[in-house]
Amino acid sequence: MNKLGIIALESAQNAGQKIDEILSLWRHGGHFLIPSSCPRFGSGEAKGLVKESVRDRDIYILVDVCNPSVTYKMDGYINRMSPDDHFQDLKRVIAACNGKAGRITVIMPFLYESRQHRRTGRESLDCAMMLRELENMGVHDIITFDAHDPRVQNSIPFSGFEDVSPALQFTQALLTEYEDLKIDSDHMMFISPDEGATQRVVFMASIFGVNIGMFYKRRDYSTIVNGMNPIIAHDFCGESVEGKDVIVVDDMISSGGSMIDVAKQLKDRGAARVFMFATFGLFTNGLDQFDKAYSEGIFDRVFTTNLVYQKPELLERPWYYSVGMNRYVAAIIDTLNKGESMSELIKPAERMKEMVELYKGKM
């Protein structure tokens, strides 16, 4: 195997350091982080710097395009880094490797522009363009988590693309945190907040051996607000949720309005406890509406991963559970660098079934 190197952009520095520590422990010493930076000129323009040799190394570049805490100064003003800025810095660092790396893998947990994954009119296909651009720059593999629509990989059919599910870690978190769950169709149900999340919900429900329900979003297609057609109502399809613990599963919580509306409807229908699973917790409208909904008993817990930036105040909320993913990412890097199969890592169904059966045996 080639010598391992990890480049963590500023947006993913904390995760990069922790992953490096884990790999150092597993490999009995040594560190793999390669220092890098993207300094800016007074005009706001930037350049990428890699401060150690990457020649013939197996390079893994970590980037969090959703991290709004990174800033830069331009014309005397402080600007927050947008996803566009983070993606530009990623390309700068790839270019700074000068084609000398043996292999480049980009680990981008939240896939940049993944919400703009299909064309419904005279629109740009931003996610597909991003993937093609990385491919043209010499990136061999792209690792992402819970892509909004994994079919975007069809735009780069000759490059590696792994869409990894954190379902195992969510299952572990739920079963560890709550010891009184009754896992059967009479007491538990998985809920899809919209038709797009159905596949995730079907997978989780099949592992737990319970039923599913689904909400359908009715939208006003005559209006666009914040780039989207606003939701008029959520209509529910499925059997009764009365007296059951329900788990709402989606890829992300953006503003959070849809999740809270779904949780309220489930409570109005008699659900016992409402848990929310979302791979990415962005909370773009702040936390006040979740604080209010929690105080009113609308939901019981929100589980999201630490794959993207987490606001410090979020980690202090009593209703929030952070699902740690650093060991999982380290395992992915370790496995790929050794040239071993990823199948067991990205297809965790058997391990999840064992976990659920073990939990049932303790009930």
Side-chain angles (χ1 to χ4, degrees), residues 17-296:
Q17 290 170 4
K18 291 173 183 175
I19 290 166
D20 181 57
E21 291 170 4
I22 293 167
L23 287 168
S24 178
L25 181 64
W26 288 352
R27 297 193 175 191
H28 309 292
H31 288 280
F32 310 99
L33 268 180
I34 297 173
S36 69
S37 65
C38 290
R40 290 182 180 266
F41 302 100
S43 60
E45 297 165 292
K47 62 180 178 181
L49 296 176
V50 175
K51 301 175 183 179
E52 287 182 11
S53 173
V54 298
R55 186 177 294 276
D56 294 329
R57 286 198 185 190
D58 194 6
I59 299 296
Y60 295 82
I61 305 178
L62 304 173
V63 59
D64 174 10
V65 299
C66 290
N67 189 338
S69 70
V70 183
T71 60
Y72 65 91
K73 184 177 287 188
M74 184 177 72
D75 196 29
Y77 293 93
I78 299 297
N79 293 329
R80 285 192 177 191
M81 293 273 284
S82 71
D84 293 346
D85 292 320
H86 288 303
F87 181 58
Q88 286 298 117
D89 277 1
L90 169 64
K91 292 191 294 182
R92 291 178 176 115
V93 168
I94 294 171
C97 291
N98 292 326
K100 301 298 192 296
R103 190 178 187 89
I104 293 178
T105 299
V106 169
I107 300 179
M108 185 188 292
F110 185 98
L111 193 63
Y112 173 68
E113 288 289 3
S114 57
R115 300 175 79 175
Q116 185 53 26
H117 59 98
R118 63 182 178 181
R119 179 178 285 149
T120 57
R122 294 186 183 90
E123 300 176 343
S124 57
L125 286 171
D126 292 63
C127 192
M129 289 193 299
M130 177 273 295
L131 293 173
R132 290 293 298 273
E133 196 166 4
L134 292 184
E135 180 183 51
N136 292 337
M137 292 187 74
V139 172
H140 294 83
D141 294 286
I142 298 169
I143 309 294
T144 192
F145 286 79
D146 211 356
H148 194 65
D149 188 339
R151 290 174 295 184
V152 296
Q153 67 185 288
N154 294 336
S155 62
I156 50 169
F158 301 114
S159 293
F161 183 97
E162 297 291 351
D163 179 30
V164 185
S165 169
L168 173 64
Q169 287 72 25
F170 277 116
T171 299
Q172 188 174 35
L174 179 69
L175 300 186
T176 301
E177 189 71 3
Y178 293 91
E179 299 179 350
D180 60 342
L181 298 168
K182 295 181 180 179
I183 305 178
D184 59 52
S185 293
D186 293 327
H187 299 93
M188 181 179 285
M189 196 168 175
F190 279 85
I191 304 294
S192 174
D194 56 42
E195 58 277 20
T198 305
Q199 187 173 350
R200 299 179 186 90
V201 170
V202 168
F203 173 72
M204 295 288 290
S206 66
I207 297 294
F208 279 71
V210 299
N211 294 325
I212 74 165
M214 186 191 83
F215 281 89
Y216 169 70
K217 290 180 180 177
R218 281 195 287 124
R219 295 181 179 271
D220 179 2
Y221 287 99
S222 65
T223 306
I224 295 179
V225 177
N226 293 329
M228 298 186 298
N229 302 109
I231 299 168
I232 300 171
H234 288 94
D235 295 330
F236 183 68
C237 302
E239 63 181 29
S240 173
V241 299
E242 188 169 357
K244 298 177 183 177
D245 289 332
V246 294
I247 304 162
V248 185
V249 183
D250 208 353
D251 61 331
M252 76 177 77
I253 293 175
S254 183
S255 67
S258 292
M259 274 289 209
I260 290 175
D261 185 45
V262 164
K264 186 176 185 305
Q265 289 207 44
L266 291 168
K267 274 294 186 180
D268 290 344
R269 287 175 164 82
R273 289 179 292 189
V274 177
F275 304 111
M276 301 179 189
F277 286 1
T279 305
F280 307 107
L282 306 182
F283 300 98
T284 56
N285 283 7
L287 305 176
D288 290 347
Q289 60 179 336
F290 280 89
D291 291 337
K292 183 174 184 294
Y294 178 70
S295 68
E296 294 172 353

